[in-house]
Amino acid sequence: MRHVPVLLSKVIESLNLAPGKNIIDCTLGDAGHSEEILKHTGPNGKLIGIDADAESLFRAKKYLYDYSTRVVFERNNFEHLQKILSEKKFGPVHGILMDFGWSSPQFEERGRGFSFMKRNESLDMRYDTHLRCAHMTHDPPKDIEGNPLYGSCTAAELVNNLSADDLREIFKKYGEENLSRELGEAIVKKREITIFETVGDLVDLVLAVYRKKLKTDKEIPWIGGLHPATKVFQALRIVVNDELGVIERVLPQAIDILESGGRLAVITFHSLEDRIVKHYFKKNSSNITIITKKPIVCSKEEYDQNPSSRSAKLRVIEKK
Ligand SMILES: C[S@@+](CC[C@H](N)C(=O)[O-])C[C@H]1O[C@@H](n2cnc3c(N)ncnc32)[C@H](O)[C@@H]1O
């Protein structure tokens, strides 16, 4: 399975591509966007493709084989954008793309525990299995004795070590989960008997909490297309990868390195991400022009073909 790039034609249009332009893809994934970008920037436009996940780079190299002399591959966190560019001596930069979140093969095939449907996978959720939560901006999560959990933070480690209050805060803040308190307390109670290792361990706990709240022993229905564990999984994934912190840190670097007239296109998938991007663009309107007054979303045709494009929002700016 290859990831289907979302809003592809809109991204290509909004980056103002032309032969000879140099582009950075901060979230290379399966290189669907990059492949199309390279078609428009040939014969000599260059591209840096960054991804935190070593397996994504391995796959992208295969997909971009025909363009390999024009591509620099970099396994890294995009939050180190400026450092990467100066190390690779890449420039001038005419366009930058960010397409946050996970790729379909990461979700479906890589055993990282991103999906609540994959019950037997381990509760990991890291994009980068080399790095271990070393770059979190908010206070590091602490174990029950108050020791910071820096350097060891898969989703399972968070669930097995955080206090009920910290779990509640994470579920509320990053998942907007209504049963945050009940879930935090139930997790800590369950830990007295057994630790959480797999996706199924956590999904069962979430379902039990919902059943207790709804006073039923029947199957819990999906609400508004969401499985009851969706929000808990989203919240843990955000914390494990510091997903909001990296966006806050990369945006100023991206605007700084763009040439005048260069474009930055950002695709977000939930309101917490989109809010950061929208506010950052507004706050910096003295040195950028906002191209998308309203975010671009997918058409009905795209949604029918690729339902994961449902929540995608594309915002674009141009450097003055
Ligand atoms: C939605 S996918 C990108 C899909 C890609 N545009 C395509 O056409 O196939 C997002 C990718 O960003 C990567 N990623 C997520 N957070 C990252 C970070 N902080 N630094 C670098 N890569 C990251 C993930 O590993 C994943 O491969």
Side-chain angles (χ1 to χ4, degrees):
M1 162 202 278
R2 185 176 179 184
H3 180 83
V4 179
V6 301
L7 300 170
L8 181 59
S9 61
K10 299 291 180 193
V11 166
I12 298 303
E13 218 174 278
S14 61
L15 284 173
N16 263 355
L17 299 173
K21 292 218 174 173
N22 299 325
I23 308 294
I24 304 172
D25 185 346
C26 290
T27 48
L28 185 63
D30 264 356
H33 286 113
S34 280
E35 187 176 358
E36 201 57 32
I37 289 169
L38 286 159
K39 284 182 195 161
H40 286 75
T41 56
N44 52 4
K46 292 199 166 35
L47 179 135
I48 285 200
I50 303 170
D51 204 293
D53 183 346
E55 284 182 66
S56 292
L57 281 198
F58 181 74
R59 290 165 63 96
K61 281 181 185 164
K62 190 179 69 184
Y63 293 126
L64 297 182
Y65 182 79
D66 290 346
Y67 304 94
S68 49
T69 54
R70 293 165 51 208
V71 183
V72 179
F73 294 94
E74 174 70 10
R75 194 198 66 75
N76 212 324
N77 194 306
F78 58 64
E79 70 168 330
H80 304 303
L81 189 56
Q82 262 165 333
K83 189 161 168 266
I84 296 169
L85 284 213
S86 62
E87 276 172 13
K88 301 288 174 192
K89 299 189 176 33
F90 185 92
V93 179
H94 304 113
I96 302 176
L97 171 65
M98 298 173 188
D99 173 19
F100 300 129
W102 66 81
S103 68
S104 315
Q106 272 174 331
F107 195 77
E108 297 292 342
E109 297 164 3
R110 228 162 275 173
R112 298 275 171 86
F114 287 125
S115 165
F116 46 75
M117 305 294 274
K118 310 272 175 185
R119 294 185 54 85
N120 296 325
E121 290 185 4
S122 81
L123 206 47
D124 186 322
M125 299 201 194
R126 289 168 300 162
Y127 294 121
D128 182 348
T129 49
H130 298 69
L131 258 183
R132 309 207 51 169
C133 267
H135 303 286
M136 303 179 77
T137 38
H138 50 266
D139 286 343
K142 298 188 178 66
D143 69 15
I144 214 89
E145 279 152 9
N147 305 311
L149 276 173
Y150 267 151
S152 70
C153 154
T154 61
E157 284 161 327
L158 290 180
V159 168
N160 286 323
N161 287 285
L162 292 182
S163 67
D165 278 350
D166 285 344
L167 288 166
R168 173 182 46 81
E169 202 184 314
I170 285 175
F171 298 150
K172 187 97 215 141
K173 191 165 167 193
Y174 301 116
E176 294 165 347
E177 164 62 59
N178 291 332
L179 298 190
S180 301
R181 184 178 55 78
E182 291 85 342
L183 284 160
E185 285 169 3
I187 286 171
V188 170
K189 200 157 170 221
K190 174 97 189 283
R191 272 181 355 214
E192 288 167 10
I193 306 161
T194 172
I195 59 164
F196 292 81
E197 285 179 287
T198 65
V199 165
D201 294 342
L202 184 59
V203 170
D204 288 345
L205 181 287
V206 173
L207 292 175
V209 168
Y210 266 83
R211 280 198 192 100
K212 191 167 168 205
K213 186 76 184 175
L214 300 173
K215 296 191 176 68
T216 178
D217 51 10
K218 298 211 181 77
E219 204 162 301
I220 305 295
W222 292 39
I223 305 154
L226 296 184
H227 183 280
T230 305
K231 293 174 175 179
V232 165
F233 272 65
Q234 169 182 302
L236 289 170
R237 201 199 68 229
I238 288 176
V239 173
V240 164
N241 298 291
D242 193 15
E243 289 187 18
L244 305 183
V246 291
I247 298 176
E248 279 164 6
R249 289 191 289 277
V250 76
L251 290 175
Q253 298 178 54
I255 290 173
D256 201 38
I257 60 181
L258 267 180
E259 286 290 288
S260 170
R263 293 271 180 107
L264 166 63
V266 184
I267 304 172
T268 60
F269 287 87
H270 55 77
S271 56
L272 297 169
E273 290 176 342
D274 185 54
R275 213 172 294 154
I276 294 174
V277 177
K278 184 169 112 183
H279 287 158
Y280 190 80
F281 286 174
K282 256 198 186 150
K283 218 174 77 193
N284 287 277
S285 53
S286 55
N287 58 344
I288 60 177
T289 306
I290 297 174
I291 305 295
T292 46
K293 301 295 174 224
K294 286 215 159 110
I296 297 173
V297 295
C298 73
S299 62
K300 172 151 183 354
E301 293 73 43
E302 178 168 358
Y303 171 70
D304 287 344
Q305 281 167 19
N306 180 18
S308 22
S309 60
R310 177 186 48 192
S311 45
K313 283 188 178 160
L314 169 65
R315 292 188 187 269
V316 184
I317 59 97
E318 183 173 298
K319 172 107 170 250
K320 283 186 183 161

mmCIF file of all heavy atoms in Angstrom, residues 269-286:
data_model
loop_
_atom_site.group_PDB
_atom_site.id
_atom_site.type_symbol
_atom_site.label_atom_id
_atom_site.label_comp_id
_atom_site.label_asym_id
_atom_site.label_seq_id
_atom_site.Cartn_x
_atom_site.Cartn_y
_atom_site.Cartn_z
ATOM 1 N N PHE A 269 -4.349 18.225 10.243
ATOM 2 C CA PHE A 269 -5.425 17.225 10.276
ATOM 3 C C PHE A 269 -6.344 17.329 11.486
ATOM 4 O O PHE A 269 -7.275 16.564 11.617
ATOM 5 C CB PHE A 269 -4.837 15.810 10.180
ATOM 6 C CG PHE A 269 -4.337 15.515 8.796
ATOM 7 C CD1 PHE A 269 -3.050 15.868 8.439
ATOM 8 C CD2 PHE A 269 -5.163 14.955 7.839
ATOM 9 C CE1 PHE A 269 -2.584 15.642 7.149
ATOM 10 C CE2 PHE A 269 -4.718 14.728 6.552
ATOM 11 C CZ PHE A 269 -3.423 15.079 6.204
ATOM 12 N N HIS A 270 -6.017 18.212 12.422
ATOM 13 C CA HIS A 270 -6.996 18.444 13.493
ATOM 14 C C HIS A 270 -6.870 19.879 13.995
ATOM 15 O O HIS A 270 -5.894 20.576 13.699
ATOM 16 C CB HIS A 270 -6.913 17.406 14.619
ATOM 17 C CG HIS A 270 -5.561 17.266 15.233
ATOM 18 N ND1 HIS A 270 -5.063 18.171 16.115
ATOM 19 C CD2 HIS A 270 -4.609 16.327 15.075
ATOM 20 C CE1 HIS A 270 -3.858 17.778 16.496
ATOM 21 N NE2 HIS A 270 -3.550 16.672 15.869
ATOM 22 N N SER A 271 -7.876 20.292 14.762
ATOM 23 C CA SER A 271 -7.998 21.723 15.092
ATOM 24 C C SER A 271 -6.821 22.220 15.935
ATOM 25 O O SER A 271 -6.434 23.377 15.832
ATOM 26 C CB SER A 271 -9.321 21.969 15.812
ATOM 27 O OG SER A 271 -9.395 21.134 16.937
ATOM 28 N N LEU A 272 -6.214 21.349 16.753
ATOM 29 C CA LEU A 272 -5.109 21.817 17.594
ATOM 30 C C LEU A 272 -3.925 22.232 16.721
ATOM 31 O O LEU A 272 -3.272 23.241 16.974
ATOM 32 C CB LEU A 272 -4.670 20.706 18.571
ATOM 33 C CG LEU A 272 -5.716 20.250 19.583
ATOM 34 C CD1 LEU A 272 -5.254 18.990 20.298
ATOM 35 C CD2 LEU A 272 -6.009 21.345 20.593
ATOM 36 N N GLU A 273 -3.666 21.446 15.672
ATOM 37 C CA GLU A 273 -2.571 21.791 14.734
ATOM 38 C C GLU A 273 -2.941 23.046 13.947
ATOM 39 O O GLU A 273 -2.144 23.977 13.808
ATOM 40 C CB GLU A 273 -2.371 20.664 13.711
ATOM 41 C CG GLU A 273 -1.781 19.397 14.245
ATOM 42 C CD GLU A 273 -1.709 18.298 13.179
ATOM 43 O OE1 GLU A 273 -2.403 18.365 12.136
ATOM 44 O OE2 GLU A 273 -0.957 17.347 13.395
ATOM 45 N N ASP A 274 -4.157 23.040 13.411
ATOM 46 C CA ASP A 274 -4.560 24.137 12.527
ATOM 47 C C ASP A 274 -4.541 25.482 13.250
ATOM 48 O O ASP A 274 -4.152 26.498 12.686
ATOM 49 C CB ASP A 274 -5.949 23.853 11.950
ATOM 50 C CG ASP A 274 -6.347 24.903 10.927
ATOM 51 O OD1 ASP A 274 -5.570 25.114 9.982
ATOM 52 O OD2 ASP A 274 -7.400 25.539 11.080
ATOM 53 N N ARG A 275 -4.938 25.451 14.528
ATOM 54 C CA ARG A 275 -4.962 26.689 15.309
ATOM 55 C C ARG A 275 -3.564 27.303 15.407
ATOM 56 O O ARG A 275 -3.368 28.494 15.260
ATOM 57 C CB ARG A 275 -5.482 26.362 16.718
ATOM 58 C CG ARG A 275 -6.290 27.475 17.339
ATOM 59 C CD ARG A 275 -6.927 26.987 18.627
ATOM 60 N NE ARG A 275 -7.921 25.948 18.430
ATOM 61 C CZ ARG A 275 -8.248 25.026 19.354
ATOM 62 N NH1 ARG A 275 -7.608 24.967 20.509
ATOM 63 N NH2 ARG A 275 -9.187 24.132 19.113
ATOM 64 N N ILE A 276 -2.563 26.452 15.636
ATOM 65 C CA ILE A 276 -1.183 26.954 15.767
ATOM 66 C C ILE A 276 -0.747 27.619 14.465
ATOM 67 O O ILE A 276 -0.193 28.716 14.444
ATOM 68 C CB ILE A 276 -0.218 25.785 16.108
ATOM 69 C CG1 ILE A 276 -0.530 25.232 17.493
ATOM 70 C CG2 ILE A 276 1.241 26.237 16.016
ATOM 71 C CD1 ILE A 276 0.263 23.996 17.866
ATOM 72 N N VAL A 277 -1.027 26.960 13.336
ATOM 73 C CA VAL A 277 -0.595 27.465 12.033
ATOM 74 C C VAL A 277 -1.311 28.778 11.722
ATOM 75 O O VAL A 277 -0.694 29.783 11.351
ATOM 76 C CB VAL A 277 -0.875 26.407 10.936
ATOM 77 C CG1 VAL A 277 -0.500 26.940 9.564
ATOM 78 C CG2 VAL A 277 -0.110 25.114 11.238
ATOM 79 N N LYS A 278 -2.624 28.766 11.916
ATOM 80 C CA LYS A 278 -3.436 29.948 11.605
ATOM 81 C C LYS A 278 -2.965 31.160 12.420
ATOM 82 O O LYS A 278 -2.725 32.241 11.882
ATOM 83 C CB LYS A 278 -4.901 29.637 11.936
ATOM 84 C CG LYS A 278 -5.865 30.728 11.578
ATOM 85 C CD LYS A 278 -7.282 30.236 11.694
ATOM 86 C CE LYS A 278 -7.978 30.916 12.838
ATOM 87 N NZ LYS A 278 -9.328 30.437 13.059
ATOM 88 N N HIS A 279 -2.759 30.962 13.718
ATOM 89 C CA HIS A 279 -2.345 32.080 14.562
ATOM 90 C C HIS A 279 -0.941 32.548 14.221
ATOM 91 O O HIS A 279 -0.668 33.742 14.199
ATOM 92 C CB HIS A 279 -2.445 31.703 16.048
ATOM 93 C CG HIS A 279 -3.867 31.637 16.508
ATOM 94 N ND1 HIS A 279 -4.274 30.934 17.598
ATOM 95 C CD2 HIS A 279 -4.993 32.187 15.988
ATOM 96 C CE1 HIS A 279 -5.596 31.042 17.739
ATOM 97 N NE2 HIS A 279 -6.047 31.802 16.768
ATOM 98 N N TYR A 280 -0.065 31.611 13.923
ATOM 99 C CA TYR A 280 1.304 32.011 13.592
ATOM 100 C C TYR A 280 1.317 32.868 12.318
ATOM 101 O O TYR A 280 1.988 33.891 12.254
ATOM 102 C CB TYR A 280 2.222 30.784 13.437
ATOM 103 C CG TYR A 280 3.652 31.237 13.336
ATOM 104 C CD1 TYR A 280 4.366 31.576 14.484
ATOM 105 C CD2 TYR A 280 4.261 31.411 12.101
ATOM 106 C CE1 TYR A 280 5.648 32.076 14.404
ATOM 107 C CE2 TYR A 280 5.551 31.903 12.011
ATOM 108 C CZ TYR A 280 6.231 32.230 13.158
ATOM 109 O OH TYR A 280 7.509 32.732 13.067
ATOM 110 N N PHE A 281 0.570 32.457 11.335
ATOM 111 C CA PHE A 281 0.514 33.219 10.076
ATOM 112 C C PHE A 281 -0.058 34.622 10.342
ATOM 113 O O PHE A 281 0.469 35.616 9.861
ATOM 114 C CB PHE A 281 -0.345 32.500 9.027
ATOM 115 C CG PHE A 281 0.318 31.281 8.421
ATOM 116 C CD1 PHE A 281 -0.378 30.451 7.538
ATOM 117 C CD2 PHE A 281 1.640 30.969 8.700
ATOM 118 C CE1 PHE A 281 0.225 29.339 6.966
ATOM 119 C CE2 PHE A 281 2.249 29.852 8.133
ATOM 120 C CZ PHE A 281 1.536 29.031 7.269
ATOM 121 N N LYS A 282 -1.112 34.695 11.116
ATOM 122 C CA LYS A 282 -1.747 36.000 11.410
ATOM 123 C C LYS A 282 -0.769 36.928 12.109
ATOM 124 O O LYS A 282 -0.633 38.093 11.781
ATOM 125 C CB LYS A 282 -2.961 35.768 12.320
ATOM 126 C CG LYS A 282 -4.266 35.884 11.573
ATOM 127 C CD LYS A 282 -5.419 36.094 12.539
ATOM 128 C CE LYS A 282 -6.729 36.050 11.781
ATOM 129 N NZ LYS A 282 -7.799 35.545 12.625
ATOM 130 N N LYS A 283 -0.072 36.345 13.120
ATOM 131 C CA LYS A 283 0.852 37.148 13.938
ATOM 132 C C LYS A 283 2.016 37.692 13.113
ATOM 133 O O LYS A 283 2.613 38.698 13.451
ATOM 134 C CB LYS A 283 1.375 36.252 15.072
ATOM 135 C CG LYS A 283 1.534 36.971 16.388
ATOM 136 C CD LYS A 283 1.907 36.024 17.499
ATOM 137 C CE LYS A 283 3.374 35.648 17.420
ATOM 138 N NZ LYS A 283 3.749 34.533 18.251
ATOM 139 N N ASN A 284 2.352 36.994 12.027
ATOM 140 C CA ASN A 284 3.527 37.382 11.242
ATOM 141 C C ASN A 284 3.173 38.000 9.903
ATOM 142 O O ASN A 284 3.976 37.974 8.975
ATOM 143 C CB ASN A 284 4.418 36.152 11.035
ATOM 144 C CG ASN A 284 5.101 35.802 12.332
ATOM 145 O OD1 ASN A 284 6.119 36.374 12.675
ATOM 146 N ND2 ASN A 284 4.495 34.905 13.080
ATOM 147 N N SER A 285 2.013 38.609 9.836
ATOM 148 C CA SER A 285 1.557 39.098 8.529
ATOM 149 C C SER A 285 2.375 40.285 8.024
ATOM 150 O O SER A 285 2.215 40.718 6.896
ATOM 151 C CB SER A 285 0.074 39.427 8.562
ATOM 152 O OG SER A 285 -0.170 40.284 9.632
ATOM 153 N N SER A 286 3.299 40.817 8.857
ATOM 154 C CA SER A 286 4.130 41.927 8.358
ATOM 155 C C SER A 286 5.175 41.425 7.359
ATOM 156 O O SER A 286 5.569 42.171 6.475
ATOM 157 C CB SER A 286 4.817 42.648 9.512
ATOM 158 O OG SER A 286 5.531 41.720 10.265
#
